[in-house]
Amino acid sequence: MITTMEEKPHVPAAPRKRKVPGWAVAMIGVAGAIALLSITSMQTGFPQLTSSGTTQTAVRLMLPILLAGLGGLWAERAGVVNIGLEGMMIMGTWGAAWAGYQWGPWAALVAAVVFGSLGGLLHAIATVTFGVNHIVSGVAINLLGAGLTKYLSTLLFQPLSNNPRQSPPVQPFDTYSAAGLADWLGELEAGQRLFISDVAGILRGLVTGVSPLMLLTILLVPLSYYLLWRTRFGLRLRSVGENPHAADSLGVKVYFHKYVAVIVSGGLAGLGGAALVLNPGQLSYLEGQTGGRGFIGLAAMIFGNWRPGGLLGGAALFGYADGLQLRSGGETVLALVYGVVLLLGVIVVWQLIRRKWFSAAAAIVVAVLLYLLYISLDEIPGEFVSYAPHMVTLAVLAVASQRLRMPAADGLVYRRG
Amino acid sequence: MSSPTSVRTDDPPAVVLTGITKRFPGVVANSDVHLTVRRGEVHALCGENGAGKSTLMKILYGMQAPDEGTIEVNGEQVRFRTPSDAIKAGIGMVHQHFMLADNLTVQENVVLGAEALHGIGQKARKRIIELSGKTGLNVDPGVLVEQLGVADRQRVEILKVLYRGAKVIILDEPTAVLVPQEVNELFDTVRGMQEQGYTFLFISHKLDEVRAIADSVTVIRRGTTVGSADPKTVSSRQLAEMMVGSELPSPETRESTVTDTVVLDVKGLKLLTPDGSRPILDDVDLVVRSGEVVGVAGVEGNGQTELVETIMGMRKAGSGTITLQDKDLTKLGTLARREAGIGYIPEDRHRHGLLLTQPLWYNRILGYQTRKPTAKGVWLDIDGAKQDTERIVTDFDVRTPGIDVPAAALSGGNQQKLVVGRELSGEPVLLIASHPTRGVDVGAQALIWDEIKRARAAGLAVLLISADLDELIGLSDTIKVMLRGRLVADADPNTVTPEDLGSAMTGAGSTSAAVQETAVVEEGEN
Amino acid sequence: MGHLRGKLLPPALAIVFSMLLCGVALVISGANPLNAFGAMVSQVGKGTTLVDIINSTGIYYIAALAVAIGFQMNLFNIGVEGQYRVAAVIAAVVGGSIALPPGIHTLVIIIAAALAGAAWAAIPAILKVTRGVNEVISTIMMNGLAIGLSAYLIRRDVFGELRGNNIRTAEIPESGWMPGISFGGGGTMFGFIFVAIALGVGYWIMMNRTRFGFELRASGESSTAASAGGVNAKKMVLVSMLLSGAIAGLISLPELLGRDHTFSLNFTAGIGFSGIAIALLGRNHPGGIAFGALLWAFLDKSGLALDNVGVPREIVTIMQGSIVLSVVVAYEVVRRVELAAEQRRVGRELGTVGGAA
């Protein structure tokens, strides 16, 4: 009978109870990741997995991805898909090199932000004012960014460096290390004790050779969170990405917020370009140097479910895989596969507890396949290791794309009226 | 019913619109509109679909600028460039299509744009909780809006307006999404607020509601105001004549043409939410016979849309069978179901019925891309499509300069006539009509009703979904009430009233002999 | 028809705008734009430039067709770049490792290339259909993986061999080549150009005269209306993505069958992205795409002449980029103006404008 049926589907639910706050989840995640790496490095005999050298390289490689990802976050939270991050990043590399060889690293940062922002401005004009499809505009900006920098470097760099594809060397930032702390951590790391040595190695990597850019970038993550989620400006910006019509009806300046978001997005991507140019290994503009990192940044953002914390995790993961390969080669990366098998083992147990039989079975199958891969190979071919982020992204999207939540009006062209 | 005591006639009027004109490409939406709203009254603005009510309110709310005319608020002339200007002048609007961001919390939705008042933190939260009572909203401000039902969403909209300190509140077709009982609750809220000095502009084309709530009425027809009336003395019929210039069409069907031939037979149909957690359709049994119109009543969001889309094969049923004239459709795709003889008038013609930028004849092919006269094998028959489009334009009185204009250039009523004409082509045995006259003018409405009646007399089986309870009662031979994914009651259209249906739709139980609750399993038909 | 003006005006505006933009850039950098443009035009008559332009047009044409098939249904196959790269390696490996009679050998290579392109496109297609993964992201990721895969496949311990300083696949024997038309000193036109033309004709027929073309366009215009009209969205995604990938697989064949006969590190990259630009410029229309491909090829090949007048030839890339961006803006503006004009016209003819007054 009608009166005895289950409760209304639309019953206003009680406020969602998050048993564990976000920062605690993050801490647990970090601790879990370190524990996983620690066990993996012990089982496979590759201490490089958690060495300070690997960590240091990983952080440097993470910066451009993180900055591009933050750029993507800003734009997409305001509802503009930014495939043009790559082009804006390229413009940033050129700007950084151009200002950097003349006036030093700080000028490089400023110029990179300015050049990237110009790319963002162009994207905003096309997508917001003229209502061009976001993907189309992004692709065009990638073409334009690459073309513009090629032209400008032939024009301005070639006379100085005798190479149209490279700028004169750029002066790097001074780096700082917490010397006493690093030495003490170094002793711990050398001790080869499970977990303690691993943590020490990672921390030592984090406190050695720190550049101002590194600090700035890391600070930009909480800063972005604060601005986007804890201020009135951020609320308006996000509302524009969720429902621009509603925002407009309440007097929120939709176009203005989209413009700001996309310009900031370009500036962050440009800064990511500067991070590439100012990387101690390169210290100059080099044609093709971004190598798709703008796209990887976007992937990191998706990996992080359009949240700053998740994005940091994604960028760290991708930077780590890259750094590991660069420092220690394909066989160490193979050890990571072992780590993934361990992780899947944990997931299987978790899914079994939650009685999700299908997920558990799928995880078991994948784990077995990966384990077979691990024992049958000697190393992961270097050609593929650089593309680990791509594979991880595809895997994440395939497994979790239904659970990811992008802003509701993301990628939609908004017209007033 | 109304409380004239709160209407203050000595003060300057709350809102005066003078000579407002607004042109769009191809149409004049408003032409020389005059409207005076006294302070503290509920002023109704009546007019049929497409008469220009919504445009006028968008002008008053600063979303669109008038081409001519002036706006006065509290005796002062104002110019609104954006909604913020209107909000500052104390005008708030509750939109017909809710303006809420699902993925933001109630609090975020409310404070958005008005952060300067109480910030976005604890102070704002306190203020929202204080105001919630006035609107009857009883949820935590931290809840995401996507978790709220329709009535609560409307309360959030009213809350938004209150939070900004609006004194004049525009309610744009607020009852369209509500059942009669919820309408009563809304009216209680409105009266309560009216006593506290709020002024309301109530936009509607439902004349009974207008007479129940309004202190005065202004009628708008074809973009211009044609007169005012006192709701206490005017009859619905007189109002209707002012609205459309003649008597309103009635959906009444006369003698029954129901036969014994079962056309559509749905058994045990189940559909789960995408994550599989909750049933959207729960064990639905439904029979439609040749010459019969079966109406499905229900509050929006109770599974009617999904029922139609599942029968059409646009959603994949979890279990159950769908049979059309002894042919099992359960495993077939949408195209095969259409080929088997289903015509489909979707509830949203822009999203599901038309390719808006394509010419009319190209739209004729949609859904008929495998059949004569629009296709021959894998090839399109463009000449055939054009000829048949000409036929529809003539037979269904589609007002258009030609069949090469894009569908978007037609008015809503003419677009809908094109869709109806197309879906009655190809000799369907079953017509699924979802809100067939939603948002169309009276002329198109009358024509569409006539065509449905004519097809029914010729033996067509019709499954009718409508939120317009008069239309549902008038056209149907049988009415089923849908609640939370189940068909929970049968009603006899000859005796049932909209109020009876309303209480069955909300699950308040039957209040009339005309509505018979059906047991949950099996006993449904007959 | 007034429609024609709406179709031709935006590209013309875009080209003029881009020329002005680049002219200004040249003036700022101290060069004479008229000299530069003159050098480009006169370059067409020199040496093999004309034939090079035609050859390049054919390649771009195929690439843009591949992109356009996806675009027709709002499917952004950004992955053409990766699809043709993978197809090129596999076609080269297959062609170099089998011996068949002439003609059949070529045909097998073509089929292998189409299948490889389709297979690479199948991954994002399947991810989209089964898991709802956005194809833009997945195809971008597949592009990266394609570079990795091709680099791996031409390793010497896999399928590669070292010739001089270059690593490449085994050379395709002559039976697998496709003969071209020689103009002596003017160069040799690829025989595959004719395949490209045939593809264009087939594409037009498919889009305008077949049920599949109708369903593709309907899906692109409104996926919801198409699905209510009985178009199976998932099938359309799958089929159009595979078709797009298969055509993308053919992009490298003019060069592979007509000139290089091997896949090496000198592989011409970036055509997939140019294809996106050209498809946008040509509005997915086979004629428009042909024009766009010709323009792109002209800019590429004639741009070489700029070095002679002391202008960096990269200015051409800026021009291409600005053409794309300004053409999409121009199309959007013209589309809006035309829709409003159409609504006005309908309003006038039906008398609703006067009626309400």
Side-chain angles (χ1 to χ4, degrees), chain C residues 61 65 198-210 217 285-287:
Chain C
Y61 190 65
L65 279 185
L199 284 172
V201 173
Y203 170 80
W204 186 88
I205 294 174
M206 181 188 85
M207 288 314 302
N208 291 289
R209 289 288 178 267
T210 67
R217 268 162 75 173
H285 185 279

Coordinates of all heavy atoms in Angstrom, one line a residue, chain C residues 61 65 198-210 217 285-287:
Chain C
Y61 N 45.2 16.7 -46.5 CA 43.8 16.4 -46.8 C 43.3 15.2 -46.1 O 42.3 15.2 -45.5 CB 43.6 16.3 -48.3 CG 42.2 16.2 -48.8 CD1 41.4 17.4 -48.6 CD2 41.6 15.1 -49.3 CE1 40.1 17.3 -49.0 CE2 40.3 15.1 -49.7 CZ 39.5 16.2 -49.5 OH 38.2 16.2 -49.9
L65 N 40.5 15.0 -43.2 CA 39.3 14.1 -43.3 C 39.1 13.3 -42.0 O 38.0 13.1 -41.5 CB 39.4 13.2 -44.5 CG 39.1 13.8 -45.9 CD1 39.2 12.7 -46.9 CD2 37.8 14.4 -45.9
A198 N 39.9 10.3 -53.9 CA 38.8 9.3 -53.8 C 38.2 9.3 -52.4 O 37.0 9.2 -52.2 CB 39.3 7.9 -54.1
L199 N 39.1 9.4 -51.4 CA 38.6 9.5 -50.0 C 37.6 10.7 -49.8 O 36.6 10.6 -49.1 CB 39.7 9.6 -49.0 CG 40.5 8.3 -48.7 CD1 41.7 8.6 -47.9 CD2 39.6 7.3 -48.0
G200 N 38.0 11.8 -50.4 CA 37.2 13.0 -50.3 C 35.8 12.8 -50.9 O 34.8 13.2 -50.3
V201 N 35.8 12.2 -52.1 CA 34.5 12.0 -52.8 C 33.7 11.1 -51.9 O 32.5 11.3 -51.7 CB 34.8 11.4 -54.2 CG1 33.4 11.0 -54.8 CG2 35.5 12.4 -55.1
G202 N 34.3 10.0 -51.5 CA 33.6 9.0 -50.6 C 33.0 9.7 -49.4 O 31.9 9.4 -49.0
Y203 N 33.8 10.6 -48.8 CA 33.4 11.3 -47.6 C 32.2 12.1 -47.9 O 31.2 12.1 -47.1 CB 34.6 12.1 -47.1 CG 34.3 13.1 -46.0 CD1 34.2 12.6 -44.7 CD2 34.1 14.4 -46.2 CE1 33.9 13.5 -43.6 CE2 33.8 15.3 -45.2 CZ 33.7 14.9 -43.9 OH 33.4 15.8 -42.9
W204 N 32.2 12.8 -49.0 CA 31.0 13.7 -49.3 C 29.8 12.9 -49.5 O 28.7 13.2 -48.9 CB 31.3 14.5 -50.6 CG 30.2 15.5 -50.9 CD1 30.1 16.7 -50.4 CD2 29.0 15.2 -51.6 NE1 29.0 17.3 -50.8 CE2 28.2 16.5 -51.6 CE3 28.4 14.2 -52.3 CZ2 27.0 16.6 -52.2 CZ3 27.2 14.3 -52.9 CH2 26.5 15.5 -52.9
I205 N 29.9 11.8 -50.2 CA 28.7 10.9 -50.4 C 28.2 10.4 -49.1 O 27.0 10.4 -48.8 CB 29.0 9.7 -51.4 CG1 29.4 10.3 -52.8 CG2 27.9 8.7 -51.5 CD1 29.9 9.3 -53.8
M206 N 29.1 9.9 -48.3 CA 28.7 9.4 -47.0 C 28.0 10.4 -46.2 O 26.9 10.1 -45.6 CB 30.0 8.9 -46.3 CG 29.7 8.2 -44.9 SD 31.2 7.9 -44.0 CE 31.5 9.5 -43.2
M207 N 28.5 11.6 -46.1 CA 27.9 12.6 -45.2 C 26.6 13.1 -45.7 O 25.7 13.4 -45.0 CB 28.8 13.8 -45.1 CG 30.1 13.6 -44.2 SD 29.8 12.7 -42.7 CE 28.6 13.9 -41.9
N208 N 26.4 13.2 -47.0 CA 25.2 13.9 -47.6 C 24.1 12.9 -48.1 O 23.0 13.4 -48.3 CB 25.6 14.9 -48.7 CG 26.4 16.0 -48.1 OD1 25.8 16.9 -47.4 ND2 27.7 16.0 -48.3
R209 N 24.5 11.7 -48.4 CA 23.5 10.9 -49.1 C 23.2 9.6 -48.3 O 22.4 8.8 -48.8 CB 24.0 10.6 -50.5 CG 24.0 11.7 -51.5 CD 22.5 12.0 -51.8 NE 22.5 13.2 -52.7 CZ 22.3 14.4 -52.3 NH1 22.2 14.7 -51.0 NH2 22.3 15.4 -53.2
T210 N 23.9 9.3 -47.2 CA 23.6 8.0 -46.6 C 23.1 8.2 -45.2 O 23.2 9.2 -44.6 CB 24.9 7.2 -46.5 OG1 25.8 7.8 -45.5 CG2 25.6 7.0 -47.8
R217 N 25.7 13.3 -38.4 CA 25.5 14.7 -38.3 C 24.4 15.0 -37.2 O 24.6 16.0 -36.4 CB 25.0 15.3 -39.6 CG 26.1 15.9 -40.4 CD 25.7 16.1 -41.8 NE 24.9 17.2 -42.1 CZ 24.6 17.6 -43.3 NH1 25.1 17.0 -44.4 NH2 23.8 18.7 -43.5
H285 N 33.9 20.3 -44.4 CA 33.3 20.1 -45.7 C 34.5 19.6 -46.7 O 35.6 20.2 -46.6 CB 32.7 21.4 -46.2 CG 32.0 21.2 -47.6 ND1 32.7 21.2 -48.8 CD2 30.8 21.0 -47.9 CE1 31.9 21.1 -49.7 NE2 30.7 20.9 -49.2
P286 N 34.2 18.6 -47.5 CA 35.4 18.1 -48.3 C 36.0 19.1 -49.2 O 37.2 19.1 -49.4 CB 34.7 17.0 -49.1 CG 33.2 17.1 -49.0 CD 33.0 17.8 -47.7
G287 N 35.2 20.1 -49.7 CA 35.8 21.1 -50.5 C 36.6 22.1 -49.7 O 37.7 22.5 -50.0

